[in-house]
Amino acid sequence: VLSVTMFGYVVEILQQLGQQNREHTQMMDTTYSYLISMQVPDVLRERIMGYMEVEHDQTKGINASSFMQRLPRHLRQELAIFFNRGVLENMEVFNACSMPFLTAVIMRLKLMITLPGDLLCCEGDIGEEMYFVIEGRLNVWIA
């Protein structure tokens, strides 16, 4: 009986993954068709499609913002701390900060996915964001 139950559970998981993949493929096809119909230049269209693929790979197709908003504030805060505490703890500038301060910073973090060649800011821009590079690398050019 246990092996039949486990097999049924595995089949259900595989069916869900297949459905998610079909939905992602359909969304990508629809987006591509829309960009073609709007005569978006090839280079920009390919960058948009590349971004959408990277975003899907990074988020596993889950809209984290929507998911988090469904949780009560205390659970949202606990989950955000769980996901992001290591990011701030590994940065010397935050070593002397209190946990309430770190929590306030963590609650304001937003995932930002960039592609090679993306420009985050230019010299002289007013800084309104702080970036933490979690994966990959960032080039800095001073004009």
Side-chain angles (χ1 to χ4, degrees), residues 41-56:
D42 292 350
V43 172
L44 179 57
R45 184 177 62 244
E46 293 307 316
R47 286 180 50 78
I48 290 169
M49 298 304 292
Y51 171 84
M52 292 176 68
E53 280 296 339
V54 169
E55 179 188 48
H56 184 264

Side-chain angles (χ1 to χ4, degrees), residues 111-129:
L111 175 65
M112 180 178 179
I113 297 171
T114 62
L115 298 176
D118 282 354
L119 185 64
L120 299 181
C121 60
C122 293
E123 187 175 8
D125 286 352
I126 295 174
E128 296 179 5
E129 292 94 10

Side-chain angles (χ1 to χ4, degrees), residues 78-95:
E78 285 183 50
L79 190 57
I81 291 168
F82 173 77
F83 284 146
N84 299 297
R85 188 173 184 175
V87 172
L88 299 184
E89 285 179 342
N90 292 329
M91 296 185 181
E92 202 172 307
V93 70
F94 292 110
N95 284 351

Side-chain angles (χ1 to χ4, degrees), residues 57-101:
D57 291 346
Q58 291 290 316
T59 64
K60 311 297 184 247
I62 294 175
N63 182 336
S65 178
S66 175
F67 169 75
M68 292 289 275
Q69 288 305 313
R70 287 187 298 216
L71 297 175
R73 180 169 169 63
H74 69 281
L75 289 177
R76 200 168 44 236
Q77 183 172 316
E78 285 183 50
L79 190 57
I81 291 168
F82 173 77
F83 284 146
N84 299 297
R85 188 173 184 175
V87 172
L88 299 184
E89 285 179 342
N90 292 329
M91 296 185 181
E92 202 172 307
V93 70
F94 292 110
N95 284 351
C97 297
S98 68
M99 193 58 202
F101 177 80

Side-chain angles (χ1 to χ4, degrees), residues 2 39 56 80 105 118-119 128 134 142:
L2 180 60
Q39 300 177 349
H56 184 264
V105 171
D118 282 354
L119 185 64
E128 296 179 5
I134 305 302
I142 299 176

